[in-house]
Amino acid sequence: MLPWKRVLRPLAALLLTAAAVTVPATTAQAAGAPSSGWNDYSCKPSAAHPRPVVLVHGTLGNSVDNWLGLAPYLKVRGYCVFSLDYGQLEGVPFFHGLGPAEKSAGQLKGFVDKVLAATGAAETDVVGHSQGGMMPRYYLKFLGGAAKVNALVGIAPSNHGTDLNGFTKLLPYFPGAADLLSKNTPALADQVTGSAFLAKLNAGGDTVPGVRYTVIATKYDEVVTPWRSQYLNGPDVRNVLLQDLCGVDLSEHVAVGLLDRVVFHEVANALDPGRATPTTCLSAFE
């Protein structure tokens, strides 16, 4: 690589990071608490955006913190935006998404029904981060969600599980470790590559008819590994690598869901493909 390229690449990455951090923070402050920005049950979808968007947080996330960047981003663009808490464990505040994924899918089902009833919409779009991008597939496949969801957008989703960079392969060498994980944090066990939950979820194909799927992955993901395991196979699937959109974007697993506006732009494209515009590094400044 030429010397000037060695200088420009880190500089571009620094500028993108600055934009991702500062712009969403300003927007989030303007939006205030969820009740004054999203989760507004008086919101009625517009003709331009006829479907409400349901945001599904990741493991150890919650309905507010996970979406301080993306929710205001979508709200200011005219979407009715809602987010839920799921997978709560007794005695564990704030950090959710730890309960059994199958049960969490049932919570999502109830929440979608609530949103559709309030907004009068026939369908919703679902956007999820990490477990929140994978777990809704259970709702679609087994709980009737395909009739109520138009599109599922997964940001760094654990669709085929994770080996945590090989760490989970060590579990058999520690007697009782796997059982302890399953008993105390079921969702973590459900997301380990080869789990019974994932075997059931992915048996017979990754997708169901009638739903559009988008997966946005980053090659710097250190949580859902290998990152290609996030991709889906099947019709109406679009798998996107963030670095193909912006080669200097260094966002890892957490950043892609919390503050990366290049990712947010691609989410907006997935929600409204008829009005999609090219996603580039400059999308961080829009």
Side-chain angles (χ1 to χ4, degrees):
M1 182 182 292
L2 295 176
W4 64 270
K5 288 187 177 180
R6 292 197 185 103
V7 175
L8 287 179
R9 190 175 291 271
L11 177 60
L14 179 62
L15 288 172
L16 283 170
T17 301
V21 172
T22 59
V23 178
T26 303
T27 307
Q29 289 170 3
S35 59
S36 62
W38 71 98
N39 278 346
D40 176 5
Y41 286 90
S42 67
C43 185
K44 298 300 179 185
S46 65
H49 301 301
R51 294 177 298 275
V53 178
V54 171
L55 303 177
V56 188
H57 64 76
T59 308
L60 295 173
N62 61 58
S63 62
V64 177
D65 293 349
N66 211 140
W67 305 119
L68 289 174
L70 182 57
Y73 183 95
L74 296 176
K75 183 71 178 176
V76 77
R77 285 160 177 76
Y79 288 92
C80 291
V81 181
F82 301 86
S83 61
L84 77 156
D85 287 307
Y86 72 88
Q88 301 93 329
L89 292 182
E90 185 176 356
V92 182
F94 308 117
F95 301 104
H96 303 318
L98 292 169
E102 184 174 345
K103 182 178 178 181
S104 294
Q107 291 178 280
L108 175 60
K109 171 183 169 67
F111 188 79
V112 168
D113 287 345
K114 179 181 177 181
V115 168
L116 293 179
T119 60
E123 289 184 309
T124 186
D125 291 324
V126 175
V127 179
H129 178 218
S130 194
Q131 180 189 176
M134 173 277 292
M135 176 272 287
R137 293 177 47 228
Y138 192 96
Y139 164 54
L140 300 179
K141 194 169 188 177
F142 299 110
L143 302 179
K148 300 177 180 180
V149 175
N150 168 72
L152 172 62
V153 183
I155 304 171
S158 51
N159 281 319
H160 296 278
T162 177
D163 66 4
L164 284 176
N165 285 307
F167 178 77
T168 62
K169 296 177 182 179
L170 299 177
L171 288 175
Y173 297 97
F174 295 88
D179 290 339
L180 188 66
L181 189 69
S182 181
K183 179 180 178 181
N184 291 285
T185 53
L188 296 182
D190 287 340
Q191 292 176 87
V192 172
T193 303
S195 72
F197 175 83
L198 289 171
K200 179 180 178 179
L201 176 63
N202 294 317
D206 293 348
T207 64
V208 295
V211 179
R212 290 188 294 106
Y213 297 83
T214 301
V215 172
I216 304 172
T218 172
K219 66 181 181 181
Y220 299 113
D221 201 308
E222 78 288 17
V223 176
V224 181
T225 58
W227 63 262
R228 288 182 179 83
S229 69
Q230 300 171 24
Y231 283 174
L232 293 172
N233 297 303
D236 293 321
V237 170
R238 183 166 180 261
N239 294 311
V240 180
L241 178 62
L242 174 59
Q243 284 71 35
D244 286 342
L245 305 175
C246 178
V248 297
D249 194 319
L250 306 179
S251 292
E252 42 65 72
H253 183 81
V254 175
V256 290
L258 268 61
L259 50 80
D260 193 308
R261 288 174 67 89
V262 177
V263 172
F264 296 173
H265 186 274
E266 192 62 16
V267 169
N269 281 347
L271 295 175
D272 192 358
R275 296 182 177 88
T277 58
T279 301
T280 68
C281 296
L282 293 178
S283 300
F285 302 93
E286 293 180 1

